Amino acid sequence: MTLRRMATAGVLAAVVAATLGAVSASAGGPRPPATQDQSLRGLAARNGLYFGTAVDAAAYAGASDPQYTSMVDSQFSTVTPENVMKWESLEPTRGTYDWTAADTFVENAARNHQLVRGHVLTWYSQLPGWLTTGIQDGSIDGPQLRALLHKHITDVVAHFRGKIWQWDVVNEAVSDPWETPPAIHLGGNTGSLKQKFADLLGPGYVADAFRWARAADPKALLFYNDYNIEAFGDGGPGDKTQFVYDLVKRLRAQGVPIDGVGSQGHLSTQYGNYDVLAVADALRRFTDLGVAVALTEVDARSLTKDAADPAKDAAGADLNARDQASAYNYHVLLQACLLNAHCLSFTVWGFTDKYSWIPNWFKNPPEGSGCLWDAAYHPKKSLRTVQGDLAAAGPPLVQPRVPQKPRR
Ligand code: G3I
């Protein structure tokens, strides 16, 4: 980065921080002591980092669990709606928007001085029933789907104009190496909804989605968001991170207004997973393209049954080892983010096991326990590790955050 670009970026960072209110990193010198009772948002702010969570709107609104609501309000400086900004929530009936839950979410965030990650504009999943059916049965063709997506992005981004910090403009558009065909491609398994969605829209839809979003809100940061892109593999046809890197590189070269890459960070302790410098290397390669990065959906789940007897719940030594492995995964992702000044935010996909999506999704074999607090809001090793990492970070190795210059 040239000195001039650094200066511009620094000014921009100050402007963004002042406008959006909240996080500013201490410039150096002695810091106040960090303690375990400080909030994640406070500890992260020491490095100018925004610390976020996905919010379950029903749990937040429910009077039965005030602790959930007060922790969302006090622990986090950025929030992501877990479901209420998805297409199925906003336009359940074709042509009729229901903004109620999403508007309430945005108002709550403003009251708590939290920045909003808008999630999600373009995704084959959690589409309204009328749209999924139309794609599946062929009654909605390619040009019609393209027009519907254009309208959806324009209407939604315009509705929230000026209130969204980062938009997940395109989410999980890319296949996984275990799908068919195995070479990574836009879409998913042959014949799947994910593949049909991509085929109907055609290869140019990713670029168009970003252009449409930029036209509707020139200031929001526009992100591509995906999972299993935490580190590069062998660079071959099955390397999803490489595929997404090439896609972003191409989009930037074409002048498409993409400002960031969100690495979701859904990890499981049953796998080998990553090391700090491998993840840091991936983030650096993305930010070298001129985009910002963010960890957008972090959790680190574990198998929940006894290692020797799968009929029994895990206990004792098993649980202890899994808790520590989960904490290590949080540590790896957070350290890598801290080491890159263009890593703007670190968001967990729920903070308590009480409402986590994990047990509903991973049932065979069952997995759970992926969050920072357990289902009774007791702090876990993962929380203590994250707090320690945030407290120990600072210059010269960890610098205040610097947004990249958005392409407008
Ligand atoms: O809306 C219905 C509700 O009417 C019904 O009463 C209830 C009963 O189960 O189900 C509700 O729908 C659920 C929906 O969440 C809203 O709560 C779906 O069953 C459930 O499958 C859906 O799960 C969400 C999942 O995305 C769907 O793909 C999770 O909550 C949400 O955490 C998860 O989030 C995704 C990100 O958006 C993208 N990245 C991966 C991440 C985890 O899968």
Side-chain angles (χ1 to χ4, degrees):
M1 188 187 264
T2 63
L3 273 178
R4 181 147 173 238
R5 194 153 155 224
M6 246 166 111
T8 316
V11 170
L12 207 86
V15 171
V16 169
T19 321
L20 297 173
V23 179
S24 66
S26 52
R31 293 176 168 208
T35 58
Q36 290 187 341
D37 58 0
Q38 286 171 17
S39 69
L40 292 169
R41 73 186 281 171
L43 291 168
R46 294 154 70 99
N47 302 291
L49 179 71
Y50 285 82
F51 204 104
T53 185
V55 177
D56 178 324
Y60 187 89
S64 59
D65 189 2
Q67 188 164 1
Y68 182 82
T69 311
S70 75
M71 285 179 75
V72 170
D73 294 351
S74 59
Q75 288 287 341
F76 302 98
S77 44
T78 171
V79 283
T80 307
E82 187 171 357
N83 287 301
V84 298
M85 265 186 209
K86 291 172 178 172
W87 198 334
E88 68 173 4
S89 304
L90 295 179
E91 197 186 357
T93 307
R94 187 167 182 174
T96 307
Y97 287 110
D98 179 357
W99 303 109
T100 321
D103 281 350
T104 302
F105 175 85
V106 170
E107 283 156 22
N108 290 335
R111 195 180 53 250
N112 295 311
H113 308 290
Q114 292 161 324
L115 300 187
V116 174
R117 294 201 79 262
H119 179 84
V120 50
L121 295 170
T122 312
W123 191 26
Y124 69 93
S125 181
Q126 288 183 282
L127 295 169
W130 57 266
L131 184 48
T132 305
T133 306
I135 294 170
Q136 298 281 31
D137 69 13
S139 60
I140 292 178
D141 66 13
Q144 285 170 328
L145 181 59
R146 183 183 156 80
L148 285 166
L149 181 64
H150 187 179
K151 178 171 163 33
H152 173 72
I153 290 177
T154 304
D155 290 351
V156 174
V157 176
H159 179 84
F160 295 110
R161 183 169 30 232
K163 296 176 180 169
I164 304 294
W165 179 37
Q166 305 173 6
W167 262 119
D168 287 333
V169 176
V170 179
N171 188 53
E172 301 172 15
V174 168
S175 67
D176 290 297
W178 57 83
E179 293 181 316
T180 311
I184 308 294
H185 53 281
L186 275 185
N189 257 327
T190 308
S192 65
L193 176 64
K194 189 172 183 179
Q195 189 63 53
K196 281 185 185 160
F197 186 76
D199 287 344
L200 278 179
L201 287 168
Y205 88 89
V206 176
D208 286 337
F210 281 95
R211 293 189 184 107
W212 297 332
R214 175 64 90 234
D217 184 346
K219 294 218 173 121
L221 295 177
L222 306 182
F223 273 65
Y224 177 79
N225 190 49
D226 216 330
Y227 59 87
N228 285 353
I229 57 165
E230 291 82 7
F232 281 85
D234 63 5
D239 185 342
K240 185 170 176 178
T241 310
Q242 183 69 48
F243 186 94
V244 171
Y245 174 86
D246 292 340
L247 173 69
V248 174
K249 189 174 181 183
R250 227 169 23 248
L251 293 170
R252 295 285 298 179
Q254 292 163 1
V256 173
I258 175 172
D259 305 313
V261 172
S263 181
Q264 294 184 0
H266 291 293
L267 303 184
S268 171
T269 63
Q270 67 171 307
Y271 305 122
N273 288 332
Y274 307 110
D275 305 302
V276 173
L277 295 184
V279 179
D281 175 66
L283 297 181
R284 184 189 51 73
R285 286 172 68 179
F286 279 116
T287 59
D288 281 353
L289 296 176
V291 294
V293 287
L295 272 297
T296 54
E297 304 186 12
V298 177
D299 46 29
R301 62 190 187 271
S302 290
L303 296 165
T304 57
K305 293 295 178 187
D306 187 284
D309 181 356
K312 290 190 193 148
D313 286 342
D318 273 355
L319 273 190
N320 188 27
R322 290 170 194 180
D323 268 4
Q324 293 192 55
S326 178
Y328 177 73
N329 283 307
Y330 275 95
H331 164 79
V332 165
L333 299 181
L334 180 56
Q335 289 276 318
C337 177
L338 285 166
L339 284 169
N340 188 316
H342 303 302
C343 185
L344 304 181
S345 55
F346 187 93
T347 292
V348 294
W349 204 245
F351 59 93
T352 164
D353 293 333
K354 188 169 180 180
Y355 302 111
S356 172
W357 69 290
I358 292 168
N360 296 329
W361 199 267
F362 299 97
K363 291 188 167 157
N364 187 23
E367 293 186 79
S369 193
C371 298
L372 298 173
W373 279 268
D374 73 11
Y377 295 106
H378 295 132
K380 291 158 66 176
K381 276 283 167 251
S382 303
L383 175 71
R384 297 312 187 201
T385 301
V386 162
Q387 290 175 321
D389 285 348
L390 291 171
L397 294 179
V398 175
Q399 293 292 329
R401 307 295 94 180
V402 183
Q404 300 271 36
K405 189 173 182 316
R407 179 170 284 172
R408 302 216 157 93

